[in-house]
Amino acid sequence: MAYLSPEKAEVPAPDPDARAFDNQPMAYRLWNGASPLGYLRFALRVILLFTALFLCIPFYYIWRFLRLSNPWPRTFLKIAAFACGARVNIVGTPIKRDVFFISNHLSWVDIAILGGHSGTAFVSKEEIGNWPIIGWLCRLNDTVFVARSDRMGIAQQINQLRDALEETWAITIFPEGTTGDGSTLLPFKAPLLKVLETPPPGILVQPIFLNYGENAFEIGWTGDESAPSNAWRLLTRRSSFLVEVHFLEPFDPDHYTGRKNIAAEARRRIAEPLSASLGGKPIV
């Protein structure tokens, strides 16, 4: 089944008995758009998130002080994904170290899902590093922040990525540069893949296909929706949702000439299962 963007989706006729926000497309419901049970679900999920955070943080710093391999960011992210309603089905085998994951991107919850089930660190835009709490949590998981508009700083960003690969063993990038609605695959932006033009020894690229199925449009963060509004929708929704995480066949980036060819090969491998999940719809 294909999922249309809010601009293309057919909006049903307004229900005269519905509240004002109930007649808005799902992706644009307002903060007050929840039933009493929605507020209760929000409260319970937030309590679970903060409980997990307060339990994991002390152990994180103990493990860090002892210079041990630190499992606590992954533990927290796995609980966070569960609290948000994600029920994860892993398809394929993730490489555990010396891997550069390249994934499609639908929602901020992708990070909790992938980090919780693979232990990967992430590449993120610089602005997120300044968000309250979120930026701090990202740093605990060794996120590499990049300024996408700073072309002069690409060399420094490449060095950051190399250092992160050595420390965390796995890095994930979302090369679409933004989130989609699950029915398309945007062009992959290749500049940060320059780190793979002369790949560090032993590094493989493993594409990942995130499949939210029939929930893709509802979960996706698209259009002009704000991050708080999207989080509100996700944390007040009625039920859990299944996410299939397909760890696809890895490839050696050393066999491809240049970052553009590496990006094209990763996109091709992700486009194939995406097309199959949409009933054979061509992905261009």
Side-chain angles (χ1 to χ4, degrees):
M1 180 184 296
Y3 302 98
L4 301 178
S5 63
E7 292 80 4
K8 297 179 181 178
E10 292 185 5
V11 179
D15 180 352
D17 297 322
R19 294 166 293 181
F21 52 78
D22 285 335
N23 288 326
Q24 295 178 333
M26 176 60 69
Y28 296 96
R29 290 191 179 175
L30 304 177
W31 277 80
N32 63 347
S35 66
L37 282 177
Y39 283 96
L40 177 62
R41 286 189 289 269
F42 177 83
L44 292 175
R45 285 166 172 161
V46 169
I47 289 171
L48 177 55
L49 285 169
F50 276 95
T51 300
L53 181 63
F54 290 135
L55 288 175
C56 291
I57 287 299
F59 290 106
Y60 168 85
Y61 283 108
I62 291 171
W63 258 247
R64 184 175 178 182
F65 176 77
L66 296 175
R67 298 182 181 277
L68 299 173
S69 179
N70 209 320
W72 297 104
R74 180 175 183 174
T75 300
F76 170 72
L77 288 172
K78 183 175 285 190
I79 296 172
F82 182 87
C84 291
R87 303 297 180 262
V88 179
N89 179 31
I90 301 295
V91 181
T93 304
I95 298 175
K96 294 184 177 180
R97 61 175 301 160
D98 298 330
V99 60
F100 203 94
F101 293 125
I102 296 180
S103 177
N104 61 321
H105 195 20
L106 283 82
S107 168
W108 53 270
V109 79
D110 298 348
I111 294 171
I113 291 168
L114 291 177
H117 289 81
S118 73
T120 180
F122 295 88
V123 175
S124 179
K125 60 184 180 180
E126 188 178 45
E127 303 91 279
I128 293 178
N130 299 321
W131 289 7
I133 301 179
I134 300 298
W136 169 64
L137 290 174
C138 288
R139 288 185 175 87
L140 295 185
N141 195 51
D142 298 313
T143 298
V144 178
F145 295 104
V146 297
R148 292 176 180 168
S149 60
D150 183 12
R151 296 191 177 275
M152 299 300 293
I154 288 292
Q156 180 181 352
Q157 294 169 10
I158 290 170
N159 289 332
Q160 285 181 292
L161 283 172
R162 288 185 183 274
D163 291 343
L165 277 169
E166 290 179 1
E167 183 169 340
T168 64
W169 301 340
I171 292 286
T172 296
I173 187 171
F174 301 111
E176 291 172 282
T178 188
T179 50
D181 62 6
S183 67
T184 59
L185 195 61
L186 300 174
F188 279 12
K189 300 177 180 180
L192 283 178
L193 294 180
K194 189 174 176 61
V195 68
L196 297 173
E197 286 191 318
T198 305
I203 289 292
L204 293 177
V205 172
Q206 185 166 33
I208 297 174
F209 168 50
L210 294 172
N211 183 15
Y212 286 79
E214 63 184 11
N215 297 300
F217 174 62
E218 185 177 346
I219 300 300
W221 180 11
T222 58
D224 297 326
E225 185 182 28
S226 68
S229 177
N230 183 268
W232 173 255
R233 287 198 299 105
L234 194 59
L235 294 174
T236 57
R237 71 189 304 277
R238 182 175 299 155
S239 59
S240 60
F241 54 93
L242 177 66
V243 184
E244 290 183 345
V245 182
H246 295 254
F247 288 93
L248 306 175
E249 189 68 23
F251 63 91
D252 188 341
D254 209 20
H255 295 169
Y256 296 83
T257 305
R259 62 186 183 272
K260 291 184 178 180
N261 288 329
I262 294 171
E265 177 62 17
R267 189 179 187 276
R268 182 189 68 79
R269 295 189 183 211
I270 295 171
E272 287 180 358
L274 173 59
S275 174
S277 74
L278 299 173
K281 170 189 171 182
I283 304 299
V284 297

